Each structure stands twice: as structure tokens, then as C-alpha cells.
């Protein structure tokens, strides 16, 4: 057992930290306030190769797997979880191509995604199919050499900014989950548009919109994997891995909030001494540090498993990493505000944003209630073996 990152992973970690400090630290408050997309930051993640860390080498990626994806997600989230959401949603959109695409589809899109020339989004959720996502209703109806789409997907991160959309739709309503297929849909396709920008509590520099389809014709060659019925398995295999990235966002966010609170507690004086000298405050830091370290171990344990076993079942560890990482993120962020007292509650102090950003981690990529359902269901299956 070796708990250290490899040399290359450590280089990636430093690079992600540098890019986040340089392109986000000073402007994260402004981006949040103005709900402004982190354009320059994302361009830089493309230029430096950070967008390619988890993609296979044969498609111009670095081939460093889910572990490297988590490392980058953790480092960005220390500074701004809105920006790590933009970064992570791109991976969420690209993973289905990596896991289920045909050779032609991989060759066509993955190198461009690796270079940052093509940003991707993941269109899965519908207004009436959120937690119960496989009950989706939007149909893709075969018509000659195309599929015709009518309907919408809601709450899609990076909608409008992404050039490519991995969209899931029903191709055979009689087959339940096996009747769902995935498609690659390019921005600018006639009949494909975006809804209004959602006004959110946190992660405000990431953009969330609906995808609107109105008699939109998608060439049959854009059916992911070239076969109908692969949508549900593709989505689940993707989410089981991508959720580790959400856990990593939780770890990074919690670490960022911890660091800000510690810096403040050392310099804030009350009763003639800095507040960090009070044992009550020290115990808060001890508890926060234990939570962060436990979540970090779980996230990288899960990522290691996913990388050992690229096609294997990692649902339980993915759900555990996501659920625990996001639960401690909000706990730590709230405690960080408490340590900073009144100033911690103010918008021009960097701590309250961590709390607002933390909440979404318990909701997107499947709520934490659904993660607990998933963990329990695998545990029960394992106990019957
Ligand atoms: C900012 C943001 C960004 C997002 N980005 C994307 C994206 O890029 N792509 C995408 O496809 N989707 C995206 N989503 C959608 C997201 O994944 C869903 O919102 C989420 O899965 C929850 O679905 P819902 O909102 O419909 O909640 P609901 O399913 O309506 O759930 C409401 C409540 O009921 C609980 N609940 C429901 N069923 C059960 C059950 N069986 N057992 C216990 N509790 C249950 C839930 O846990 C929750 O507390 C995003 C959402 C947001 C808010």
C-alpha cells in the first residue's frame, strides 16, 4: 500500500493548483456575483492539458484515469467549486464517449476534447425524471437515416457553452431501461436550442440551462456506440466514476474553507489572544481535519479501484465517495463560517461562498439519499453471495 501520488500525479496536482490560483483566486467573488462563466480559466485548462488527464493516450489524453481527474477536481475546488463544476461537467459529458463510443466516434471527438477545442455537456435529467432518471420520456424516433428529437432536458451544466452534448433518449418505450439510447448532438444542429439561464444559490459561475429539442434531426451515425439500448448502462458506468470527482470536489471545498478559517482564526484577537488559542476552536479544526482526511482517503481509494478496473463495477465506492465527500463539505463549510463569526457571514469575505457552493454536491449526479439507496442495495447483494 502506498498513499503517495506518483511523480506525474504530483505534477498534475501542482499545475491544477497554479492554474486555479492564477485564473480564479482574485476573481472568484466577481464571477460568483455576476454569474460569469470562467472563460479564461477553462481556456487555460485546455492549453495546459488539464482537460485531458483522464482521457486515453491513444486519443491525445494523458491516460491518468479517474485518480488524476479527482486530483484536478480537488485542487480547483479549493479555490472555486463553480469552476470545478464547469471542468467536471465536461468530463461527465466526455466519459460516455470514452466508455461506449465506436472507434470513429472516439477518433472524431476525444482528441478535440483533450485539446479543449470541444467542450461537452451531459444531458440526462428531465423535469419528470430526476432521481428516477431512467423513467425519462423524451423520445428519439427513427426516421430513415436520422432520429427525430422532441422534448427537453433540464438543469444541464455548461448548456450553451458546450459544443457537444451527450443526450439520453428513449428509442424503444417497450423495453424500459434497455430502451434508452445515448446520442452525440452538436451545438448548432437545427431544432436544438437552450432555455433560460438558471439563477442559483451557489456554483454561480457555472451555467445551468435546459436543452430544448423541436423536430431536431440527429444523423443515425451519432447514436453512441452505434447500437440502440446502450444508454442506461453507459449513463450508470459514467456516473459511478464521475461521482468520485464530486467527492473530490467536496474534499477540495472543505480544505479551502478550512484554510481560510485557520488563517482568520490565527489573526483574529478576542479576550487578548488570538481565537485559535481557545481549545473549543482548536477542537473544531481537529474535527474538520479528521473529516477532510477521511473523505480524501475514501475518494482516492474509490478512484484507485476505478483505475484498476476500468470496465468493472464501482457503484458502491462511487456513491460512498460522492455522498461522504459532499456531506463533510457542507459540515466543514458551516463550521468555517462559525469560526469566523460575523465576518464569515459577509459576501466580501471568502468563506460564505464555500457553504453556498457545497450544497449542490449533495444534490447533483444523484442526491445523497439516492447514493445511500445505492450503497445499501450493493451491500445487501454482497451479503447474499
Ligand atoms: C445546479 C445543477 C446542475 C445539474 N447538472 C446536471 C447535468 O449537467 N446533467 C444532468 O443530466 N443533470 C444535472 N442536474 C440534475 C440533477 O442531477 C438532479 O437535480 C438530481 O439528480 C435530483 O433530481 P431532482 O432535482 O429531480 O430531484 P427529485 O428526484 O425530485 O428529488 C427530490 C427529493 O426527493 C428525494 N427522493 C427522490 N426519490 C427518492 C427515493 N427513491 N428515496 C429517497 N429519497 C428520494 C431526493 O433525494 C430529494 O431529496 C443538475 C442539477 C442542478 C441543481
Amino acid at each position: 500500500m502506498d498513499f503517495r501520488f506518483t511523480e506525474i500525479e504530483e505534477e498534475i496536482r501542482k499545475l491544477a493548483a497554479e492554474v486555479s490560483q492564477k485564473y480564479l483566486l482574485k476573481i472568484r467573488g466577481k464571477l460568483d456575483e455576476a454569474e460569469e462563466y470562467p472563460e479564461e480559466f477553462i481556456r487555460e485548462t485546455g492549453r495546459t492539458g488539464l482537460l485531458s488527464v483522464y482521457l486515453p493516450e491513444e486519443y491525445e489524453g494523458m491516460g491518468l484515469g479517474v485518480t488524476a481527474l479527482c486530483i484536478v477536481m480537488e485542487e480547483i475546488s479549493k479555490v472555486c467549486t463553480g469552476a470545478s463544476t464547469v471542468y467536471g461537467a465536461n468530463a461527465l459529458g466526455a466519459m460516455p464517449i470514452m466508455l461506449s463510443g465506436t472507434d470513429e466516434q472516439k477518433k472524431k471527438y476525444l482528441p478535440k476534447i483533450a485539446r479543449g477545442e470541444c467542450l461537452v455537456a451531459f444531458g440526462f435529467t428531465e423535469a419528470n425524471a430526476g432521481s428516477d432518471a431512467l423513467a425519462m420520456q423524451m423520445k428519439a424516433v427513427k426516421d430513415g437515416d436520422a432520429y427525430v428529437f422532441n422534448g427537453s432536458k433540464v438543469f444541464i451544466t455548461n448548456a450553451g457553452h458546450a459544443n457537444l452534448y451527450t443526450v439520453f433518449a428513449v428509442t424503444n418505450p417497450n423495453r424500459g431501461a434497455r430502451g434508452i439510447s445515448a446520442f452525440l448532438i452538436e451545438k448548432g444542429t437545427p431544432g436544438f436550442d437552450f432555455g433560460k439561464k438558471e439563477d442559483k444559490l451557489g456554483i454561480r459561475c457555472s451555467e445551468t440551462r435546459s436543452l430544448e429539442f423541436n423536430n431536431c434531426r440527429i444523423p443515425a451515425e451519432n447514436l453512441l456506440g452505434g447500437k440502440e439500448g446502450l444508454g442506461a448502462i453507459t449513463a450508470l458506468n459514467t456516473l459511478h466514476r464521475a461521482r468520485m470527482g464530486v467527492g473530490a470536489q467536496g474534499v477540495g471545498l472543505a480544505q479551502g474553507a478550512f484554510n481560510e478559517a485557520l488563517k482568520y482564526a490565527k489573526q483574529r484577537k478576542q479576550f487578548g489572544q488570538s481565537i485559535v488559542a481557545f481549545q473549543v476552536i482548536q477542537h473544531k479544526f481537529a474535527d474538520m481535519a479528521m473529516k477532510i482526511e477521511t473523505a480524501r482517503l475514501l475518494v482516492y481509494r474509490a478512484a484507485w479501484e476505478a483505475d484498476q478496473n476500468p470496465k468493472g463495477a464501482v457503484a458502491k465506492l462511487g456513491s460512498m465517495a460522492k455522498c461522504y465527500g459532499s456531506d463533510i463539505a457542507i459540515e466543514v463549510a458551516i463550521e468555517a463560517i462559525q469560526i469566523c463569526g460575523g465576518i464569515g457571514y459577509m459576501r466580501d469575505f471568502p468563506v460564505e461562498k464555500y457553504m453556498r457552493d457545497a450544497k449542490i454536491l449533495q444534490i447533483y449526479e444523484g442526491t445523497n439519499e439516492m447514493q445511500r439507496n445505492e450503497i445499501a442495495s450493493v451491500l445487501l447483494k454482497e451479503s447474499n453471495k
Side-chain angles (χ1 to χ4, degrees):
M1 218 184 266
D2 186 345
F3 288 104
R4 287 166 303 184
F5 290 139
T6 62
E7 225 169 278
I8 177 81
E9 285 166 351
E10 190 54 36
E11 275 174 34
I12 295 294
R13 195 191 63 70
K14 282 195 187 129
L15 178 64
E18 270 167 33
V19 171
S20 306
Q21 297 277 330
K22 186 164 171 199
Y23 289 88
L24 294 170
L25 187 63
K26 284 208 183 103
I27 57 163
R28 62 185 172 180
K30 181 179 146 273
L31 296 178
D32 175 68
E33 182 77 31
E35 296 183 287
E36 191 183 324
Y37 182 80
E39 195 83 54
E40 271 193 50
F41 165 76
I42 285 298
R43 201 174 307 123
E44 194 62 11
T45 56
R47 201 188 63 76
T48 53
L50 286 173
L51 282 174
S52 77
V53 293
Y54 61 94
L55 291 168
E57 283 173 292
E58 57 183 311
Y59 301 107
E60 298 186 30
M62 292 192 199
L64 299 172
V66 179
T67 303
L69 178 67
C70 289
I71 290 173
V72 178
M73 293 285 269
E74 180 184 344
E75 288 306 321
I76 305 172
S77 304
K78 283 180 186 168
V79 183
C80 176
T81 301
S84 68
T85 296
V86 173
Y87 174 91
N90 188 63
L92 184 63
M95 266 190 204
I97 309 175
M98 200 176 99
L99 294 170
S100 299
T102 61
D103 283 347
E104 292 73 47
Q105 288 165 342
K106 288 182 192 173
K107 269 188 215 139
K108 182 170 177 189
Y109 292 111
L110 293 182
K112 283 193 211 161
I113 295 171
R115 295 195 293 267
E117 292 163 12
C118 174
L119 292 176
V120 206
F122 183 78
F124 193 47
T125 306
E126 293 181 7
N128 292 320
S131 297
D132 192 10
L134 297 181
M136 67 179 62
Q137 283 154 13
M138 187 171 84
K139 290 192 187 65
V141 180
K142 188 91 194 272
D143 180 26
D145 58 358
Y147 287 86
V148 181
F149 280 61
N150 277 294
S152 17
K153 294 282 166 181
V154 299
F155 299 154
I156 308 305
T157 304
N158 289 348
H161 285 279
N163 315 89
L164 183 67
Y165 295 79
T166 308
V167 178
F168 297 81
V170 177
T171 43
N172 186 342
N174 302 320
R175 296 201 70 207
R178 284 168 201 271
I180 296 173
S181 303
F183 294 85
L184 298 170
I185 304 184
E186 293 185 13
K187 183 174 167 177
T189 305
F192 172 33
D193 210 343
F194 307 103
K196 74 166 174 59
K197 180 160 130 182
E198 301 291 350
D199 184 4
K200 306 192 292 292
L201 170 73
I203 57 160
R204 287 166 58 83
C205 76
S206 75
E207 225 165 281
T208 318
R209 294 175 186 266
S210 62
L211 310 181
E212 303 292 338
F213 299 94
N214 187 1
N215 284 327
C216 175
R217 287 181 74 83
I218 305 299
E221 69 197 41
N222 288 25
L223 172 66
L224 191 71
K227 260 194 266 172
E228 288 187 10
L230 297 180
I233 189 75
T234 300
L236 295 178
N237 279 336
T238 296
L239 285 164
H240 295 160
R241 287 162 175 78
R243 281 175 187 149
M244 297 169 189
V246 179
Q249 283 185 294
V251 173
L253 183 152
Q255 188 67 61
F258 177 100
N259 295 348
E260 294 289 352
L262 185 58
K263 193 162 72 181
Y264 180 75
K266 281 183 178 168
Q267 54 96 6
R268 172 69 174 167
K269 290 208 165 50
Q270 287 294 282
F271 300 94
Q273 55 186 332
S274 63
I275 59 168
V276 83
F278 299 126
Q279 197 179 43
V280 167
I281 301 287
Q282 290 180 6
H283 284 189
K284 284 186 192 296
F285 281 116
D287 284 337
M288 289 154 86
M290 283 192 280
K291 286 176 183 174
I292 296 169
E293 200 52 35
T294 313
R296 185 175 280 126
L297 287 169
L298 179 53
V299 164
Y300 289 105
R301 156 83 181 93
W304 180 86
E305 190 72 37
D307 290 340
Q308 298 306 302
N309 203 358
K311 297 222 177 237
V314 286
K316 184 179 75 177
L317 280 167
S319 289
M320 285 180 168
K322 192 266 180 193
C323 189
Y324 191 72
S326 56
D327 280 350
I328 68 104
I330 196 141
E331 287 166 22
V332 169
I334 288 174
E335 202 66 321
I337 297 178
Q338 192 66 20
I339 289 170
C340 298
I343 193 78
Y345 197 73
M346 301 303 160
R347 278 277 163 111
D348 49 11
F349 195 73
V351 174
E352 59 82 40
K353 175 177 179 297
Y354 284 103
M355 187 195 82
R356 286 187 289 109
D357 286 351
K359 187 59 206 164
I360 192 61
L361 305 180
Q362 294 181 308
I363 297 173
Y364 64 19
E365 295 198 25
T367 64
N368 282 7
E369 289 79 6
M370 298 308 290
Q371 304 314 311
R372 288 183 166 87
N373 287 351
E374 178 75 45
I375 294 164
S377 130
V378 179
L379 287 174
L380 290 176
K381 271 187 214 142
E382 285 173 351
S383 73
N384 290 332
K385 271 185 192 160

